[in-house]
Amino acid sequence: MKIVIYSSNSNNFDGPSYHYTNLPSNAKNAERILTDFFGADCFEKHTFTLVSELPGMFLLDLEGNEILEKSEHFEYKILPQGKENPPEDIAALIKTLQPDLVIAATYWVTPFDWLPVKDAQIAEILKAEGIKVICNSLDVSLMSFDKIQTHTFLEQKGFPLAKAVYVHHELFWAERNRQELKENPYKESVFYRIKNMNFPVIIKDTSGLSSYGMEVCHTLGQVKNFLNGKKNNGDKIVEEFVKGPQFAMEIWGTEESGYRVFNPFMVSVNQYGITSPKQSVKIGPVTDTYAAADKLPLAELKAELLRLAKLIRVNGICQVDFGWDEEKKRWVIFELNPRLSGMSQLQFESQTGCRQGEERPAMSLKFPILEKEVLQKLSTMPFVKHVTQTVNDQAKQKREHGYCELVLAADTFEKLRENLITLDKEFSDYMEKSFFQTGLNLLQNFTDANQLDL
């Protein structure tokens, strides 16, 4: 079988400004994942071609604009730099390869998380030609990209959500440059509805990525100051803040093969109660033992997310962010991401080496930017399963300059805790103590629940 794996990009990519390290390399990691999914003899039975725009996250190992390491099992088709590569052109290239199966390896970029939209367009063109494609649909990608569309869809389908108010940017500022307008009823209605919400509330872009630009407001006055200020530069959604632990999980599968709803991972939050991808620690899986100890209805959550998977016809991977509302005692969905995510490697390492349908304890942990020799040493630790680092020389803000992330795995949560302590001792000069303490605190939740064996 001829299999094509593709990923696109919407942004200009300045290769020399970025420095990537992946241990094991993306080439070896891709081989490992494909062997896990297609069987040990997959490279004897199938041929694989990677079609990608740079940087090809999860697929390519780059030094500048050149591929540093290639797998002998893949053929590489790299799309040209410095020009647009519209979906029609990418689909046409893929079609020339005469594939039996095409798989999207969609990732994310700033400032708009819209690569699922581009990859879905490629998929639709190929499907119209009778080619089998694993990629989430264009309708689902557009709905997930726009948070107000996500909210409306989930609300209509009966999923639990935080109360929210949509702020249409153009209407909110409708009185600007219109001298005939003495007042703005739309703006007044926005503040009227927000006034009747439970505080604190969180304000976020409807099309933003992760926690960028989010603001937590504790009073109506703070909301007015934010929305009337310079930071209000696009459509916003104002949601009631959910007080309680936050989680993330992935759903894998297709309508044809069925779906696997994985157990969730707990995600740390910052001082504002927001999950920050460049600062968070993730640990899990949350299984029935932990859920029972903390009185979380895990079976109910997984049943609802299976219903969601069937409704949107997940085709590949869909990542879900959600929280447990301690006041209303219910799960609340925050957003959907129909693509690979920061959870993907963690999820894979959690199930690797386990019996079918089982998972093992794993966690992801951040480090500041490290020298290559330190990265290499970290990767040799037996419990460190993956090391990745991205450095952006052109970043204007410190948080955008880069970071290192490790994935750890163990047979039990107690052993995972021991490994974290070992890591802190041997790399004390590099580990930020706040991340270490956050990791310990999250692990305590699991060991206290006596969730020591999976």
Side-chain angles (χ1 to χ4, degrees):
M1 186 162 63
K2 295 180 181 179
I3 301 174
V4 172
I5 302 171
Y6 75 95
S7 68
S8 66
N9 193 0
S10 62
N11 292 14
N12 292 314
F13 177 69
D14 181 12
S17 296
Y18 288 86
H19 308 282
Y20 298 99
T21 303
N22 290 282
L23 301 169
S25 65
N26 281 331
K28 288 185 170 57
N29 206 38
E31 290 176 359
R32 191 164 60 106
I33 291 172
L34 290 172
T35 301
D36 189 72
F37 279 94
F38 289 99
D41 58 352
C42 69
F43 298 117
E44 299 171 11
K45 290 184 174 181
H46 313 299
T47 63
F48 293 88
T49 302
L50 304 184
V51 176
S52 181
E53 294 186 76
L54 298 183
M57 191 185 296
F58 300 109
L59 298 181
L60 306 179
D61 299 283
L62 298 182
E63 184 67 44
N65 289 327
E66 301 298 322
I67 300 177
L68 186 64
E69 178 180 343
K70 291 185 177 181
S71 167
E72 62 179 341
H73 299 295
F74 303 148
E75 182 181 0
Y76 292 80
K77 299 288 185 181
I78 307 304
L79 294 153
Q81 284 284 92
K83 66 181 288 292
E84 291 185 18
N85 293 297
E88 293 81 4
D89 290 359
I90 298 175
L93 171 59
I94 293 173
K95 186 182 175 184
T96 65
L97 301 172
Q98 299 181 319
D100 300 297
L101 175 64
V102 178
I103 304 171
T106 308
Y107 56 98
W108 62 92
V109 292
T110 58
F112 303 115
D113 192 3
W114 57 15
L115 292 190
V117 175
K118 184 173 181 180
D119 281 356
Q121 291 180 69
I122 296 167
E124 292 212 350
I125 295 168
L126 294 171
K127 287 177 183 177
E129 297 287 340
I131 298 171
K132 185 177 181 180
V133 185
I134 297 178
C135 179
N136 288 296
S137 72
L138 182 56
D139 285 344
V140 168
S141 298
L142 286 167
M143 178 270 288
S144 303
F145 168 61
D146 186 342
K147 290 182 175 62
I148 193 61
Q149 285 191 46
T150 307
H151 190 279
T152 300
F153 172 84
L154 293 174
E155 187 175 46
Q156 290 175 348
K157 300 302 181 182
F159 292 96
L161 298 163
K163 186 177 180 180
V165 173
Y166 169 50
V167 184
H168 187 288
H169 185 257
E170 186 175 350
L171 289 175
F172 188 86
W173 295 112
E175 70 275 18
R176 286 181 172 177
N177 302 318
R178 290 187 174 94
Q179 293 184 356
E180 70 273 19
L181 295 179
K182 66 174 183 174
E183 56 189 41
N184 184 337
Y186 176 80
K187 182 182 291 187
E188 292 172 2
S189 73
V190 165
F191 289 137
Y192 172 78
R193 293 179 64 195
I194 295 173
K195 180 181 178 181
N196 291 297
M197 297 173 74
N198 293 319
F199 283 82
V201 297
I202 187 167
I203 305 175
K204 53 189 176 183
D205 293 334
T206 61
S207 57
L209 175 70
S210 302
S211 60
Y212 295 116
M214 285 188 183
E215 189 84 6
V216 177
C217 297
H218 295 268
T219 66
L220 180 62
Q222 290 177 349
V223 173
K224 287 184 174 181
N225 287 339
F226 181 90
L227 292 179
N228 285 323
K230 293 181 179 180
K231 289 184 179 181
N232 182 9
N233 54 7
D235 288 0
K236 304 289 181 182
I237 184 169
V238 182
E239 290 182 343
E240 290 184 347
F241 188 86
V242 175
K243 298 176 182 177
Q246 297 190 19
F247 304 86
M249 71 188 311
E250 289 190 337
I251 302 168
W252 293 5
T254 66
E255 194 172 21
E256 180 182 4
S257 66
Y259 298 112
R260 181 175 179 185
V261 179
F262 286 90
N263 287 317
F265 276 67
M266 184 176 287
V267 184
S268 68
V269 297
N270 61 21
Q271 67 267 37
Y272 306 107
I274 301 171
T275 59
S276 174
K278 290 184 171 60
Q279 298 176 323
S280 67
V281 176
K282 303 183 184 74
I283 181 171
V286 175
T287 61
D288 292 331
T289 305
Y290 174 87
D294 222 25
K295 298 181 180 179
L296 301 176
L298 183 60
E300 175 188 305
L301 168 72
K302 296 180 75 173
E304 277 292 88
L305 292 182
L306 179 59
R307 179 170 77 92
L308 173 64
K310 292 177 178 178
L311 276 172
I312 65 176
R313 299 179 178 179
V314 169
N315 194 12
I317 289 180
C318 183
Q319 188 260 336
V320 185
D321 290 332
F322 56 95
W324 173 252
D325 188 331
E326 292 181 336
E327 294 182 353
K328 297 182 179 180
K329 304 300 179 185
R330 63 172 188 168
W331 299 105
V332 176
I333 297 176
F334 297 145
E335 64 178 60
L336 313 178
N337 297 300
R339 52 162 172 76
L340 295 166
S341 74
M343 280 292 300
S344 299
Q345 188 70 44
L346 182 60
Q347 195 79 72
F348 178 72
E349 298 298 349
S350 177
Q351 66 168 328
T352 298
C354 298
R355 289 180 296 180
Q356 185 68 30
E358 294 186 352
E359 300 160 80
R360 61 177 174 173
M363 71 183 299
S364 64
L365 186 72
K366 306 295 192 304
F367 272 71
I369 295 171
L370 301 174
E371 297 296 328
K372 287 197 173 183
E373 57 269 22
V374 181
L375 296 172
Q376 289 287 348
K377 185 178 178 182
L378 277 168
S379 71
T380 64
M381 305 294 287
F383 50 82
V384 174
K385 302 305 177 182
H386 196 262
V387 179
T388 183
Q389 179 169 281
T390 301
V391 180
N392 178 4
D393 290 339
Q394 301 300 316
K396 296 179 180 178
Q397 298 180 12
K398 184 178 179 180
R399 66 174 288 191
E400 300 306 315
H401 190 217
Y403 64 96
C404 170
E405 183 170 15
L406 310 185
V407 174
L408 320 179
D411 292 331
T412 67
F413 283 99
E414 188 60 47
K415 187 62 178 176
L416 192 62
R417 183 177 183 276
E418 292 175 12
N419 293 341
L420 178 62
I421 292 171
T422 299
L423 200 66
D424 179 57
K425 287 180 179 177
E426 296 200 21
F427 295 89
S428 58
D429 291 340
Y430 309 102
M431 179 179 285
E432 293 184 10
K433 295 304 177 184
S434 60
F435 286 113
F436 171 68
Q437 193 59 53
T438 297
L440 277 183
N441 293 342
L442 290 179
L443 276 164
Q444 194 65 44
N445 292 321
F446 291 84
T447 52
D448 282 352
N450 294 318
Q451 191 180 4
L452 303 180
D453 253 317
L454 293 179

